[in-house]
Amino acid sequence: RSPAPPPSAPLDPPAFCIAQPYPPSSMPSSVLAHPALVPALAAALMIRAGAWLSAQPRLRRRVLKSRLWQLQFALHPLILLGFIVAAAGTLRWGYTGALLLCPFVFNFAVEPWALPVDIIFRFCFYLHHTAPMLIMVTEDPKHCLAQGLLFAHAWALHTMASLEHHKWLKKQAIFWPYMVIGFLFKWYWWSSLGANIFGWDKIPIYAQYIGRWGLFVRLKALQNRKHNSERKRNSHKNFRADRTDDHIDEFEEWKQPIELMAFALSYFAATSNIMQEGYDSSAI
């Protein structure tokens, strides 16, 4: 008679990463196995809540004046960093954390800006807001700090806007320190995640910056269209084409190309070290 097999050890919560997916035999049958489903549903609910609140101007003003709302807006970088590092690639906490993070990244359904009614702008805007939830259910725990720091740096603009609103800071005065820190975080991100530009684990950051840059480019296009239309309607009057009522500050104007350049330069700086290490190890 053969001895009974030893009892199996309890399984830890599965670590989920798109770059290292579950094998077919262990893939959960639940719909929650799809990493984008929970963030997408949570984002849709917050967008719907935001549409309802936009029709309630008195309630919206009360929320915007709330000290708690203003505090969470200013602390966005720390909130994102804390959630992303805490998630650390654990599927069970990642979904729970994504749901808990959702109200913060959507500002409790109250945005401090008047959003253009434009489908392209709205897509980029909400993509930028959904990306932090997506990273929580897809990240590799080895890379949680690199991912969290880069997300926190991107969302630090909310902290800067809050400080500038209270006259405690001039955003333009710290443009280059912000860009230098961003370059270092991007270098660390490329060094941690590797040289593969098209890796699945990089998609949440790509979504973050595509949304971040896309909403600005689209906003400028809408403003130019508005000014061109006004110029045509007022061509018989003394109309000034250099109106500044929709002015976007220089920080935002220069942020897009400098950040794009920083991504490229940090990639080459990081991957040159990776390739050199690979060459040295193969030579040995």
Side-chain angles (χ1 to χ4, degrees):
R1 184 177 180 182
S2 59
S8 58
L11 296 177
D12 293 331
F16 186 86
C17 175
I18 290 182
Q20 299 173 352
Y22 287 108
S25 59
S26 63
M27 175 67 77
S29 58
S30 167
V31 293
L32 294 181
H34 196 293
L37 184 58
V38 169
L41 290 176
L45 289 175
M46 293 304 296
I47 292 170
R48 185 67 187 90
W52 179 81
L53 278 169
S54 65
Q56 312 292 327
R58 292 181 62 185
L59 178 58
R60 185 175 180 275
R61 283 195 297 270
R62 287 181 59 186
V63 174
L64 287 174
K65 291 179 180 179
S66 166
R67 293 300 178 92
L68 289 176
W69 186 95
Q70 295 175 10
L71 181 63
Q72 67 83 32
F73 184 81
L75 294 180
H76 272 162
L78 295 179
I79 292 171
L80 263 66
L81 179 61
F83 269 90
I84 293 172
V85 171
T90 302
L91 181 63
R92 183 179 299 173
W93 164 243
Y95 283 126
T96 305
L99 291 175
L100 293 175
L101 181 60
C102 182
F104 292 100
V105 294
F106 279 90
N107 289 309
F108 291 85
V110 177
E111 296 297 338
W113 309 282
L115 303 181
V117 183
D118 178 79
I119 189 170
I120 299 176
F121 176 89
R122 294 289 179 103
F123 172 79
C124 294
F125 184 82
Y126 294 132
L127 180 65
H128 150 68
H129 282 250
T130 305
M133 293 190 293
L134 184 59
I135 190 63
M136 295 194 64
V137 296
T138 60
E139 69 172 337
D140 187 325
K142 298 191 300 293
H143 305 146
C144 62
L145 182 59
Q147 301 272 33
L149 286 173
L150 195 50
F151 268 105
H153 180 266
W155 284 67
L157 286 179
H158 289 183
T159 306
M160 294 159 60
S162 179
L163 294 175
E164 191 171 47
H165 174 74
H166 292 286
K167 311 297 183 184
W168 296 338
L169 173 75
K170 283 191 175 182
K171 191 169 61 172
Q172 188 61 36
I174 60 170
F175 176 83
W176 285 112
Y178 178 79
M179 290 300 158
V180 170
I181 293 172
F183 173 83
L184 295 175
F185 285 170
K186 291 174 180 65
W187 172 83
Y188 177 51
W189 184 75
W190 285 117
S191 300
S192 300
L193 274 70
N196 181 12
I197 296 177
F198 302 104
W200 287 98
D201 51 347
K202 298 181 177 69
I203 285 182
I205 282 290
Y206 291 163
Q208 171 70 47
Y209 278 90
I210 289 172
R212 172 185 173 96
W213 297 336
L215 67 88
F216 176 82
V217 172
R218 184 58 181 172
L219 183 62
K220 286 195 67 177
L222 292 173
Q223 290 178 354
N224 290 336
R225 182 187 301 175
K226 173 185 174 182
H227 291 170
N228 290 337
S229 176
E230 290 179 347
R231 184 165 56 245
K232 289 180 181 179
R233 288 199 309 268
N234 296 277
S235 58
H236 60 289
K237 301 178 182 178
N238 185 20
F239 178 73
R240 293 184 59 188
D242 59 342
R243 291 181 55 183
T244 59
D245 55 336
D246 287 330
H247 174 68
I248 298 177
D249 60 68
E250 292 184 6
F251 189 105
E252 297 295 332
E253 290 280 359
W254 284 99
K255 180 188 71 179
Q256 324 300 319
I258 298 297
E259 281 188 333
L260 183 59
M261 189 183 304
F263 258 109
L265 293 177
S266 61
Y267 171 80
F268 289 114
T271 55
S272 62
N273 292 335
I274 295 173
M275 294 176 182
Q276 182 63 37
E277 289 173 4
Y279 174 78
D280 293 342
S281 60
S282 64
I284 294 173

